[in-house]
Every structure is written in C-alpha cells, then in structure tokens.
Amino acid sequence: MFRHALSAIQNIGHRVIEGMWRLGHASRFFILVLLKSGTSLRRFGLVIRELYFTGVLSLIIIVVSGLFVGMVLGLQGYETLQKYGSESAVGTLVALSLVRELGPVVAALLFASRAGSAITAEIGLMKATEQLAAMGMMAVDPVSRVVAPRFWSGVISMPLLAAIFSVMGVYGGYLVTVVFIGVDEGTYWSQMQSAVDFRFDILNGFIKSCFFGVAVTAIAVFEGYDAPPTAEGVSGATTRTVVSSSLVILGLDFILTAFMFRGVS
Amino acid sequence: MTSESLIEVNNLSFSYDTRPILNGVNMRMQRGQVVAIMGGSGSGKTTLLRLISGAIQPTSGHVKFAGEVVHELSRDALFRLRRKMGMLFQFGALFTDLSVYDNVAFQMREHTNLPESMIRDLVLMKLHAVGLRGAHHLMPNELSGGMARRVALARSIALDPMLIMYDEPFTGLDPISLSVIGNLIRRLTDALGMTSIVVTHDVQESLKIVDYVYFIADGVIAAHGTPKEVRESVAPFVHQFVHGEEDGPVPFHYPAQSYEKDLELEDCRV
Amino acid sequence: MQRTTMDLWVGLFVMAGIAALMVLSLKVGNLNVYNPSQSYILTGNFENIGGLKVRAPVKSAGVVVGRVTDIQFSTQTYDAIVTMSMDSRFIFPKDTFASILTSGLLGEQYIGLAAGGDEDMLTDGDKIMKTNSAMVLEELIGRFLFDKAAEE
Ligand SMILES: Nc1ncnc2c1ncn2[C@@H]1O[C@H](COP(=O)(O)OP(=O)(O)OP(=O)(O)O)[C@@H](O)[C@H]1O
Ligand SMILES: [Mg+2]
C-alpha cells in the first residue's frame, strides 16, 4: 500500500520533470522557428500556399459556427433580458460577448482542431516518411522551408478568422432577434454601437486572437516536428496538439482578460 | 593514392545509445568510382551513409569528404557540402505535397536562379533518364513503389552532385528497370566524374557495374576487393554472401537468447 | 497553373478577414462617431457619483458626445473628480450643467450635459462648475419618507 503511494508520487514527479523538459524543448524550438523565418518572409509565396490550408479551408467551419453561436446568443439573451424589460440591450450583449470573448476563444478552439491538427499531422508524416531528412540532405533547412511558413500562415489567419467569426455572430444575433423575434433594427445596432468601444473591446479582442494564433500554431508545429516517426507517434502528437492548445487558449484567455479588462466594472 | 580520394573513412565507430553498430570502419573512395557496400540486413549500411552525410555524429573516428572532416563542420559549411552530395533514400522520401515534376525541380528552385524554362528542360532530361518523362504531372501517391524510387533517383541527381549515395536502388524494380538503372548509375558516374556509393543486396547485378566492393559485418569491413577478386574469393564469408547460402559466418538472426529459452521449451524437456 | 486558383482563394480569404475587421470597427464598434484621437478633456466635481464607471458615455440630448476616462477622489473637497474625454466636434458653453443620470430605472449610469447660454465655450482642460450628483435610490426613498413624516 505504502509502496503504491510512493510509486504514484514518483510517477507524478517523473511526469512533472518530463513536462518541464518538453516545455524547455518547445520554447527553444519556438525561438529557432522565429530565427529561421527569414526565408518565409522573403519568399512569401510559401506562406500564401499554407494560408490556403490554414485559412481558406477553416473558413466554412468558422462561418457556420459563428452564425450559430450568434443566433443562440441572440435567443438566450433575448429570453433573459426580456424578463427585466431590457430586450433592447440584446445587441449589446451579443456584440460584447462575441468581440471580447467568444469570437477569439471559440474561433481559436475551432482553429486548433481544424488547422492545428492538420499542421501537426502533416509535419509529423513528413518526418516519418523521411521527407524532412531528405530535405536536410538537399541542403534545405526543413525548419525554414516547412515549419516557418506554416507557423506564419497560422499567425496571420487566426485574427482574420476570429474577426469573421464575430461578424457572423453579430449577424446571426441580428437574424434571430430582429428578423425572427422583431426587436427594432435601429435599437439593435445603436445599443450595440454605444456600448462597444473600438480600442477597449475590439482592439483587445483582436490582440487576444493574435496571441491565440501564435500559441496554437507554435504548439502545432512543435508537436509535428517532435513526433516520433511512426503512425502512433503522429496520431498521438495530433491529439496532443488539440488538447494542449485548447488548454493554453483557455488559460491564456484568463490571463489576457485579467490584464486587459481589470479596473473596469 | 590517398590524395585523390574523394572520401576517406578512418576508423569510424558509432553506436545507438549503448548498442555499437559500427566498430572501426576504414574505406577509401576515388572520383569516378562506383563503390558497392554490402552486408546483411541491419548491419549498419544506412547508418554508414548517414555518417558520411553528416546527419549523425560518430562516437570516434571521422569521415573526410574532399579533405574536410564532415562532423567537425559548422552547420552552414555542412549545408554547403551537402549541395555536392545526392542521396537516394531507402524508401524514396518523395515530397508528397509536390508533383513528380516539382520534386525533381525542388533543388534547382531552392539553390539556383535558373529561369523556369531551363528548369523545365533539366527536369524533363532527368526524368527521361529514369524513363518517367511521361509521368511528370503525377503526384507521388499515384506512383508504384518502383516508379517512386526512380523519381527519387532523378531527384537525387538533379544538381549533378560530386557524390551520390544510393540506399538500395534496386529493390522493387523489375529486371528491365533494374539493369537500366544499374547502367544509368555507371554512365552518370563516368560522364560526370562523380563518385557513387551503392548500398545493395543485389550481388549479381551490382558486381556488373561497380569498381570496388566492401562487405560490412559485425561493425567492421569484413572483406573488400574488386568484383573480379570477389567472384574468385574463397573466403567463406564472401562466398556465402555472393552465393546466398544460409549457413556460414554471416548470421541470419538478430542476436537473441537461445531459441529454446525464448519459446520456454527448456522446462518441458526436463 | 494550379497555383493561381489557390492564390485567388487566399486573396478572397484575406479580403474577407479585413472586411470583417472593418465591419467590427465601423458598424459594431462605431469607430466613426467617437474618435479619441480628436478629443478634448473636461473635468467635473460631483458630490456623489453613484454607480458611474470609467468608460460610461457622456450624452447630450441623448447623443453620445464623449466618455468618462477617469474617476478620482479628492481629499481636499471630499468629492469625486470625473475626467471626460469629449469629441472635439461638440463644444459646450461655460455654464453647461452636468448631471449623473440613469438610463431606465435600473440601467447604466451616464453623464448628461445640458447646454447653458454663455457666450464663452468650454475648452481643453476646463472644469464644469455646475454639476448635479447621482440619484441614489436609498437617499431618494429616505427623503420621501422624511417628507411624508414632516407633512403629518
Ligand atoms: N534510430 C535508431 N535508433 C536505434 N537503433 C537504430 C536506429 N536506426 C537503426 N538502428 C539499428 O542500427 C542497426 C543498423 O541499422 P541500419 O539501418 O544501418 O541497417 P542496414 O544495414 O541499412 O539494414 P537494411 O539492409 O535492412 O536496410 C540496426 O540493427 C537497427 O536496429
Ligand atoms: Mg538500410
């Protein structure tokens, strides 16, 4: 019994040390990717190609989810606000929830499972099939040729996707409350406009999504590059990308929110 | 003689973790030579190629390429050196997101400023040499194993390097492509004055085209010589290998405890 | 070849993203009405600000003309100093009356400006002299009961 407890504690210790080791490794890799980004910026075609896979292919899921999230927000918001006779504030509720929190966070979660996992799987498979080694043999650095363009494409597309998500949500809310329920159109927009501040809400939301973009793609490229070169290795890495980037998004969101919105309300 | 060697392998040792793979290997390769490396499966041939290309660091000894010690080079210098090397990977390693054409053109685009029209001509020439000019628009997943290997071969000779290492170029080829590729390796080597290292199990085919043969066993060079010497050799090791006999000094089995013990037959016998 | 269609899609994607950012800024965030880069600062002392918060709107005749940027407590006068950033398109006379109002019965609190008749206008850094505190519900009820008691 005592021995079991001891080995359990030992196990936890090992895991913590292992985690620290991986974190250090990942950070070093992140710096390396930044240092080797010169090629991607000089040959922007490489990044554009990857933008197609990370951005364009994520568009459908972002648009559809944004629309539905906005519709649900409109419906729930209306139901609740109506009890206090403030259904005119529904536009404010929809827009503030989306712009400050749901837009950046949900878009980033979707992005992690759509584009992040794809990036990990692709890089991991290229490693498993010796494509990265072959590239190194041809005197082409795989980090600057394969990893960096994918990283930058993720960093660029994340804020754009989050903005598209929020706009779709605002129109989803509009559809439900104004078109279906019959809240006055002018009220919907003017309440929203008087409550949403450009610098405070929209800019901060944008900054959040930039942070999420860096975090998710950094995790995705690291997991792919670090994956054991086997089928299980790659599938495990893909899962880890989704799990750890989701956790990082939520944790980071809390920290950023505390920084940005502290001192108000 | 040593002064003209393109590659010198001196007392090279390497181990994965604690398991020694190579144990003091010595080799010399001249310009214009085709050299075969033979040895049982798992004897460390691929490892040797990786050491020559500087992908892994030896535990002791060194490889000299054109006078430079490979594992002491800085990263940039190593990359400069690798532009003079080509390598055909054992499993092809084609870039799966690029077409056959783009695979062959990859190095030309990365390392040269050639105009696209000239790249096109070069790529089609290389593909023609391996008999796949008509397949230039296909993606790697649309190729058979043998075709993929031939494309990989075309890709590795794209920039006419000084040294090409072929890791088992003959596996998965039909007899016709096999002799075509064999002759191609010989012709390329002669025409461009490069050096070719061919890792192969195909003894008969390779003896026809190579200038020199090294046999690896137990982490050392067990035997070496010209094809003529090899064919006439009476050394039991070489004889076993050249004639493909099961019994002999080359073990077929990976080192293990006794078979009876593994199958837990010992107790039954008592 | 194949690259151009891909480029086209990426171009459309980037356009859509930038358009979304524009919509957020202009339609949702109303960037055009209130631009903090062209603004001037006014202050005002209030005896009681109630539930007024930083970033609350400053309205005149119901139109947003500025925002509260800072709320401090003064140890000299023992009241609240409210700093407002005003849209520079709107200027007000010196004797403008500032009061803290509530939208709806329980809604958000904001500062309402009622213009006076003075010839001189308030400029950057000026202080609004005539202010009216927030109505605090408890005080209101208390005063009501007091009045009732006095009547009897
Ligand atoms: N990454 C690795 N980690 C640990 N051991 C390895 C690794 N790669 C190869 N080995 C071991 O090194 C030995 C030599 O491998 P190598 O690939 O060089 O053999 P080979 O001669 O090319 O064999 P084959 O003819 O089958 O291709 C093998 O026994 C293998 O188990
Ligand atoms: Mg091998």
Side-chain angles (χ1 to χ4, degrees), chain B residues 16-17 19 21 39-48 90 167-168 201 254:
Chain B
Y16 277 117
D17 298 328
R19 197 155 63 86
I21 308 292
S41 188
S43 56
K45 306 180 296 293
T46 302
T47 308
L48 181 60
Q90 193 164 358
D167 200 348
E168 315 207 358
H201 296 298
Y254 192 89

Side-chain angles (χ1 to χ4, degrees), chain C residues 69-113:
Chain C
T69 53
D70 191 30
I71 298 174
Q72 295 286 338
F73 181 69
S74 160
T75 45
Q76 272 121 48
T77 49
Y78 295 103
D79 58 7
I81 307 168
V82 175
T83 312
M84 291 160 264
S85 168
M86 305 291 297
D87 192 317
S88 54
R89 284 176 301 165
F90 309 118
I91 47 174
F92 291 87
K94 279 263 194 253
D95 59 347
T96 292
F97 206 90
S99 38
I100 296 179
L101 303 171
T102 309
S103 50
L105 187 59
L106 297 168
E108 225 191 353
Q109 285 185 306
Y110 64 95
I111 293 181
L113 298 183

Side-chain angles (χ1 to χ4, degrees), chain C residues 9-78:
Chain C
W9 276 109
V10 172
L12 287 176
F13 164 65
V14 173
M15 280 292 289
I18 291 173
L21 284 172
M22 300 272 279
V23 169
L24 283 184
S25 319
L26 299 180
K27 181 131 191 167
V28 177
N30 212 8
L31 183 65
N32 49 348
V33 166
Y34 175 64
N35 188 345
S37 65
Q38 297 171 325
S39 62
Y40 64 98
I41 303 292
L42 293 180
T43 58
N45 288 32
F46 292 85
E47 224 168 81
N48 189 335
I49 59 163
L52 188 75
K53 293 182 181 103
V54 172
R55 286 201 346 98
V58 178
K59 297 184 185 180
S60 185
V63 179
V64 179
V65 293
R67 270 182 206 283
V68 173
T69 53
D70 191 30
I71 298 174
Q72 295 286 338
F73 181 69
S74 160
T75 45
Q76 272 121 48
T77 49
Y78 295 103

Side-chain angles (χ1 to χ4, degrees), chain B residues 49-104:
Chain B
L49 294 190
R50 281 158 62 78
L51 283 162
I52 293 175
S53 65
I56 47 179
Q57 303 276 315
T59 28
S60 70
H62 65 258
V63 176
K64 259 192 191 170
F65 180 95
E68 294 181 286
V69 176
V70 172
H71 74 266
E72 286 172 359
L73 292 175
S74 72
R75 202 187 151 72
D76 287 345
L78 182 64
F79 268 24
R80 266 199 302 283
L81 189 75
R82 282 185 183 172
R83 291 193 193 188
K84 301 177 201 154
M85 296 181 179
M87 177 134 159
L88 176 66
F89 278 75
Q90 193 164 358
F91 303 103
L94 291 179
F95 301 133
T96 41
D97 57 338
L98 300 179
S99 68
V100 165
Y101 180 95
D102 292 327
N103 259 284
V104 179

